[in-house]
Amino acid sequence: MKVIRHSFDGVIVGAGGAGLRAAIEAAPHMKLAVITKLYPTRSHTGAAQGGMSAALANVEEDNWNWHAFDTVKGSDYLADQPAVDILCKEAIDSVVELEHWGLPFSRLENGKIAQRRFGGHTVKEGEAPAFRACYAADRTGHMILQTLYQKCVSMGVTFFDEFQVLDIKIDDGVCKGVIAYEVATGDIHIFEARAVTFATGGFGKIYKVSSNAHSLTGDGPGILYQKGIPLEDMEFYQFHPTGIYRLGILLSEAARGEGGILRNKDGERFMERYAPSIKDLAPRDMVSRAIATEISQGNGAGPNNDFVYLDLTHLGAETIKQKLPDITDFVRTYVKIEPIDEPIPVQPTAHYAMGGIPTDVDARVLSDANGTVLPGVYSAGESACVSVHGANRLGTNSLLDIVVFGKRAGQSMVDYVSSTKPMTLSDNAAEDLSNKIDKLMNKDHSLEYSVPRIREELQNSMEENAKIFRTEDSLEKQTEILADLRDRYQNVTISDKGKVFNTELLEAIELEYLLDMSDTTVASALHRKESRGAHSRVDHVERDDVNWLKHSFAFKNGDSVKLDYKDVELGNYEPKERKY
Amino acid sequence: MDVKVNILRYNPETDRKGHWEEYILEADPDERILDLLHKVKWFDDGSLAFRRSCAHGVCGSDAMLVNGENMLACQVLVKEVSTPIKIEPIRGLPVIKDLVVNMDSFFDSYKKVMPFLVNDDEPGERERLQSPEDRDRFEDTTKCILCAACTTSCPVFWTADTYVGPAAIVNAHRFVFDSRDNASKQRLEILKGVDGAFRCRTAFNCTTACPRGIQVTKAIEDVKRETLTIN
Ligand SMILES: Cc1cc2nc3c(=O)[nH]c(=O)nc-3n(C[C@H](O)[C@H](O)[C@H](O)COP(=O)(O)OP(=O)(O)OC[C@H]3O[C@@H](n4cnc5c(N)ncnc54)[C@H](O)[C@@H]3O)c2cc1C
Ligand code: SF4
Ligand code: FES
């Protein structure tokens, strides 16, 4: 195996919104490389549809405190309130900055950025739905990704496209660089870098029905977890209410923001029963639970009673064409129905990881529940847990998170690099990785231990046992299944033994991250004996602020998971019952 | 139902040139072409190489030739194409392995047209204003996902790979017609050159190929016309 060396001050792993925003901040001040397993414009930020919230008050009175209130309430009081304040306050400048860099937001008649309604966002602490989400039709994420990449191109940022990072080097608690695999050649690259940011996105591929890309396998969290860094709040995984039936392709909440209505098999607008004041625009955890409840009570539509309808037929062709062109095209392409005339079959789809790599508000990675900083390592975007989303993220707050905390990660890299000296990595730094690859290359292939088999069983069982509603029994059963899959993974085999574009090899390595993400999700969920946000325990239905107003930290402990906890940082808003 | 799929395979480590392989797959008519490729890769031959990520037509990874036409494998259903289904890499770019081509020259062309907003005026503390009508002028070309389906379906590009190609012109259009941008002149100078917009012979292949429904040929015509306004 050929090993090639590079020396940088800083490396950013991932070129989605978070990684690119960090790069724009850091690149002028250091020798920087962005390493990405996909071409930057293929990142899943480009799939984001509905919008990005900021209290611009372009349509009606608004202020960032109301945005913060909604975010905290939406999080079921698990978000750290000082971090939420930063998110909502810096939102305004972040949107304006993106506009200055060219982002083609949709506009109001007066030329200002247009804003629309979105789930859980209200004015005056719950009075009525707020027009807060800035958008570019229903392709806001595409525009953010394009704009940030364009800015990077104009700055001449150095990219290593289709290079997959597979290892980080931390010696004596200090970061020294990363090891990457060049997809086109199979060469191994050692990147010396004393500041490393992980912005690798989410891990929705632990579930079968998901809105996430094939590439979202939790690489950043997985790499760090295997080095002993904990993962925070993994039991909180968001299911978006409206995925296209069976396919999981997302139909943005913007559809309901523009007036779309959910209906059961009888055509009833069932959200009126679950959230009388804001109905279809209740936060995602509540709407997904409502759908799951309707389905379990036999009110689902179709021959198996296993979906509900998203009804857009009353919105009119013009609104649909102007404001929801992409998602209605998805329906035409994949379901072959016309959303102007017919309601769309939908079901909840695995969507967003509230949990991930623990960081402080400066994107510095924490190595324990006491807030100990791991020098030189940063994370931002969906791979990180600050925590601004707590137990349930509000729609539009992730696109915000990636730019606000992406920028902060870049700034922290600059501070660290300017106050430290270059690190050196020895030539054998790539040895662990080479051994891992050799092992996969040298083993004879057997179908029983193939990646797709193990992965399929993983996704099916997570879907079955650790989805919206959980019980002690379902989680214990899943713990056993995961232990068995982990055993089989020890013998995983691949058939492609080549060097060029060997994506089977990479899928095998990614599968280990998926197992890590599943283990930590299930262990954290099993221990949390309450229901909060996206984590619903049928056997512990109440929220328990006395015992559980705290973040979970899941550590790798051999092949099992060890848990620790950290208190939530409160602020202006005392936990209250969450009603909408 | 059983579906017959023929894939043009090429592995640089073992093959001197490409060859067709036939696969008979059990498939549902509602499945995507991408699902068929996954079936081959996951349950038959793990060495099959292709790019993909989002699986619903928004990331631009999986442009390929299906029955002779450029499309995204994730955007077309089995029932929409005739069988046997013939799948080949997009044309005009060097093949790395199977359905994966080297995209370097494609992205180099994109970078040549200054694909970023240029405006050094002090923007102020709030957003620049833009009317919905001004915003509409470049709406169509903002949709581009850089999948290369247009450029690699262009007969001019096949014979003259120095031609910047439709995708680069689309991305230039996105800024040339943006009321906030101040560098149209420089961009149009580039596109006036020998490898620029006037190479286009309006074959319309690009417009047919574009999975985002962008009026690519029209965008090229708009840009050509606009170059006449500078001197
Ligand atoms: C369909 C959909 C719609 C959404 N709509 C909205 C919305 O309207 N509003 C909102 O706020 N949020 C929305 N979200 C959520 C939001 O889009 C994501 O959370 C956010 O874009 C994640 O950005 P990111 O930069 O963290 O990661 P990503 O954009 O996923 O980027 C990850 C990057 O990491 C790279 N990478 C991963 N692993 C490696 C590795 N091992 N080595 C090198 N590179 C690696 C990838 O190449 C990629 O560049 C939506 C999500 C989905 C799925
Ligand atoms: S214009 Fe259309 S076909 Fe061409 S690269 Fe862009 S999205 Fe692809
Ligand atoms: S896989 Fe993203 S466009 Fe097809």
Side-chain angles (χ1 to χ4, degrees), chain A residues 225-257:
Chain A
Y225 178 70
Q226 289 171 19
K227 297 281 176 192
I229 306 302
L231 299 179
E232 184 176 353
D233 290 344
M234 295 296 282
E235 62 272 49
F236 301 104
Y237 197 89
Q238 179 167 81
F239 293 86
H240 192 293
T242 56
I244 293 180
Y245 178 52
R246 289 200 306 201
L247 291 170
I249 296 171
L250 194 78
L251 302 178
S252 171
E253 209 164 88
R256 280 170 287 135

Side-chain angles (χ1 to χ4, degrees), chain A residues 346-362:
Chain A
V346 294
Q347 70 179 152
T349 182
H351 185 57
Y352 183 84
M354 271 73 75
I357 302 164
T359 72
D360 64 11
V361 294
D362 293 312

Side-chain angles (χ1 to χ4, degrees), chain A residues 46 303 314 476 509:
Chain A
H314 54 291
E476 267 174 358
I509 294 174

Side-chain angles (χ1 to χ4, degrees), chain A residues 424-438:
Chain A
T424 45
L425 274 175
S426 61
D427 281 335
N428 64 13
E431 218 162 69
D432 293 347
L433 178 61
S434 307
N435 291 342
K436 194 185 238 183
I437 293 174
D438 284 345

